Amino acid sequence: MGNTLFERLGGTEGITKIVDDVVEEHMNNSAVSSRFLPYQETPEKLSEIKRHTVEFFSAGSGGPVTYTGREMPETHRGMNISPGEYMHVMDDIFVVLSKHQIDEESQKDVLAILWSLKGMIIAQ
């Protein structure tokens, strides 16, 4: 298993597909959809969020990508995301990783990354 997590997630193409599907899951998840559905009215903003998310996970998983977005606390400041909402978002991510047949070890690596970010996102 010498490949980076970036490679195991399918590189930029694979991560882009995962991000697209995760956003779709969030929009269909009644626990968090109210945070995502408004972006359907501003497709340019939704596209920017997706681009930054792809960059963030690409760079953070060992890919040759530079993240150009804001720091996590700044990005989520004022959103007051609850621990329950964060768990729903994580659940959506794992539904999508399974759909994309991402192996268990890679899913554990994603979980470690998501868990490490929670303090920068929850209740900001």
Side-chain angles (χ1 to χ4, degrees):
M1 185 115 20
N3 294 341
T4 65
L5 180 58
F6 174 78
E7 293 166 327
R8 290 181 276 141
L9 294 173
T12 300
E13 182 179 338
I15 291 172
T16 299
K17 289 176 183 176
I18 289 168
V19 167
D20 286 342
D21 287 352
V22 166
V23 170
E24 188 68 29
E25 280 292 318
H26 293 342
M27 288 186 178
N28 291 318
N29 182 337
S30 62
V32 295
S33 62
S34 64
R35 293 194 180 270
F36 292 90
L37 288 173
Y39 290 116
Q40 290 180 323
E41 303 299 319
T42 55
E44 64 286 343
K45 181 67 175 168
L46 178 59
S47 186
E48 178 185 28
I49 290 168
K50 286 181 176 183
R51 179 176 53 81
H52 282 148
T53 303
V54 169
E55 286 177 1
F56 184 83
F57 280 100
S58 295
S61 63
V65 177
T66 301
Y67 174 60
T68 62
R70 298 176 296 178
E71 295 295 321
M72 289 297 104
E74 180 185 350
T75 296
H76 296 92
R77 187 169 295 124
M79 295 178 78
N80 202 26
I81 296 168
S82 73
E85 288 174 310
Y86 194 75
M87 293 306 292
H88 279 282
V89 165
M90 286 180 54
D91 288 345
D92 290 347
I93 292 168
F94 287 98
V95 164
V96 171
L97 292 176
S98 292
K99 173 184 167 187
H100 285 262
Q101 300 179 328
I102 301 301
D103 66 273
E104 185 177 336
E105 194 63 34
S106 297
Q107 288 191 35
K108 287 179 184 176
D109 291 344
V110 170
L111 175 62
I113 292 168
L114 295 173
W115 201 249
S116 75
L117 296 172
K118 70 182 175 73
M120 293 181 260
I121 295 173
I122 294 173
Q124 292 297 316

